[in-house]
Amino acid sequence: MALTMSDVDRFEASRPRLEAIAYRLLGSASEAEDAVQETFLRWQAADVGRVEVPEAWLTKVLTNLCLNQLASARARRETYVGQWLPEPLLAGDPMLGPADTAEQRESVSYAVLVLLERLSPNERAVYVLREAFGYPHREIAEILDLTEAASQQIFHRARKHVAEGRARAEIDRAAARRIVEEFLAAATSGKTEPLVRLLTQDATAIGDGGGKVPARARAFEGALAVAKFMRGLFKPSEAKRRLVGGSSEVYVTTANGDPALVAVVDGRVIGVMCLEITGEGIAAFRNQVNPDKLERVNRRWAAADHGEPLLSIF
């Protein structure tokens, strides 16, 4: 049946929420967009006049599409070149979804998106729908064809897994910004000791180049190893300039609600480094340099004013 304008408007009103759910489930903005578009095609083909609660119907269709995608994604990631990391989103991107509560903000943080990769598809879906969007277990059970008790059990298990990976308290945004600026000063000083002091003892650093850009696939682990890597990463060289196509400007911004460094060459974003900062120091650096995963970042970057870069390197 052909959709009326009212039916289309009803779907478009749900699109931001659907995209936010899909992004949290898939960790990929492009895949989230595809899943939402496929949901629209299902909506277009349905007898929508018989759909009693459109929001519930759309959420069920989208979630199950994402679950199917997650199952195939796991197989693809086994052959992925290097380390797979989620696609970062810059502050203000509507796909980040609701950020009214601490739980909602944390559910889309880069660190938590990485942790969600360890969960089963059902665990991830229950966690996202409950923690980020506040769906009651009765509705989650209907969406996933589970019992309400099973949904509750899955949620508690998933929440425990995420909490185990997020054991340390975070610090406020102003303090995090100061630490990022101190980090940049230390990283460009050519000395290792100032960097070590800013890191937690078990700090890690890893990158995702997708086989298209050189990136560290195996994590550097420990403050000293990470500090040495960062010192070398920020050391200028002609080889690096040739590799990235010129001098790189570095901006301090926010990605997925956390401090991030954005490297830009001639207006093009070539990398987003997400920092996980705790009360003990910087715990992790996750660097996304796969150009396929920076397309949305580049579109949004080009459409906004970001002021002056904090420094230029390479």
Side-chain angles (χ1 to χ4, degrees):
M1 296 178 63
L3 294 181
T4 66
M5 285 304 299
S6 177
D7 296 329
V8 174
D9 290 344
R10 187 175 297 171
F11 180 88
E12 291 303 323
S14 296
R15 183 183 291 274
R17 177 181 56 84
L18 296 174
E19 286 189 344
I21 291 173
Y23 172 68
R24 284 169 166 83
L25 288 176
L26 300 173
S28 165
S30 59
E31 291 180 4
E33 291 172 343
D34 290 344
V36 172
Q37 185 58 29
E38 179 61 30
T39 302
F40 175 74
L41 295 177
R42 302 286 179 92
W43 176 249
Q44 192 175 41
D47 184 358
V48 298
R50 301 182 63 181
V51 177
E52 294 182 2
V53 185
E55 179 179 305
W57 189 94
L58 291 170
T59 303
K60 182 180 179 71
V61 170
L62 174 82
T63 301
N64 282 284
L65 285 170
C66 289
L67 289 177
N68 292 336
Q69 182 76 4
L70 283 172
S72 61
R74 291 197 169 203
R76 291 199 311 274
R77 287 171 195 170
E78 289 180 1
T79 60
Y80 189 81
V81 179
Q83 175 69 39
W84 189 96
L85 289 176
E87 184 175 341
L89 297 180
L90 299 180
D93 193 314
M95 196 175 279
L96 290 170
D100 299 326
T101 67
E103 291 78 12
Q104 289 172 337
R105 292 189 294 273
E106 184 174 71
S107 71
V108 79
S109 72
Y110 209 65
V112 166
L113 287 180
V114 171
L115 290 171
L116 291 182
E117 286 293 308
R118 305 177 186 177
L119 304 182
S120 70
N122 265 8
E123 287 175 336
R124 187 164 184 164
V126 171
Y127 180 87
V128 165
L129 292 172
R130 179 64 181 165
E131 192 81 345
F133 295 90
Y135 280 82
H137 285 291
R138 174 181 54 79
E139 292 185 23
I140 296 174
E142 292 174 358
I143 289 170
L144 298 176
D145 294 324
L146 303 167
T147 66
E148 189 171 343
S151 176
Q152 292 172 339
Q153 292 173 352
I154 291 171
F155 174 70
H156 290 308
R157 186 166 64 243
R159 198 177 193 187
K160 180 181 178 183
H161 289 327
V162 173
E164 287 172 350
R166 298 278 288 170
R168 291 170 292 202
E170 297 180 8
I171 62 174
D172 65 78
R173 184 165 295 182
R177 169 84 184 204
R178 289 195 299 272
I179 291 176
V180 172
E181 292 176 351
E182 290 175 11
F183 162 73
L184 282 175
T188 55
S189 70
K191 299 178 182 178
T192 303
E193 293 78 10
L195 279 167
V196 171
R197 289 196 293 269
L198 292 172
L199 309 179
T200 61
Q201 290 186 348
D202 59 348
T204 61
I206 199 161
D208 177 353
K212 299 184 177 183
V213 175
R216 176 72 178 186
R218 291 177 59 86
F220 287 96
E221 299 180 346
L224 183 58
V226 172
K228 288 180 177 179
F229 168 66
M230 289 297 165
R231 183 190 65 189
L233 181 65
F234 283 86
K235 184 178 180 180
S237 74
E238 184 59 36
K240 291 177 184 175
R241 280 190 287 272
R242 287 197 301 269
L243 178 65
V244 302
S247 294
S248 176
E249 296 176 326
V250 178
Y251 295 79
V252 179
T253 186
T254 302
N256 295 74
D258 290 326
L261 301 176
V262 176
V264 179
V265 175
D266 293 333
R268 176 177 55 89
V269 176
I270 62 166
V272 178
M273 180 183 287
C274 298
L275 284 70
E276 183 178 354
I277 301 178
T278 72
E280 292 78 39
I282 304 174
F285 300 87
R286 300 181 178 96
N287 195 21
Q288 184 56 260
V289 292
N290 182 344
D292 293 343
K293 296 184 182 182
L294 295 175
E295 291 182 0
R296 187 179 178 96
V297 164
N298 265 298
R299 291 198 302 270
R300 294 192 62 81
W301 188 266
D305 179 21
H306 305 283
E308 296 298 317
L310 201 61
L311 61 89
S312 296
I313 57 173
F314 304 163

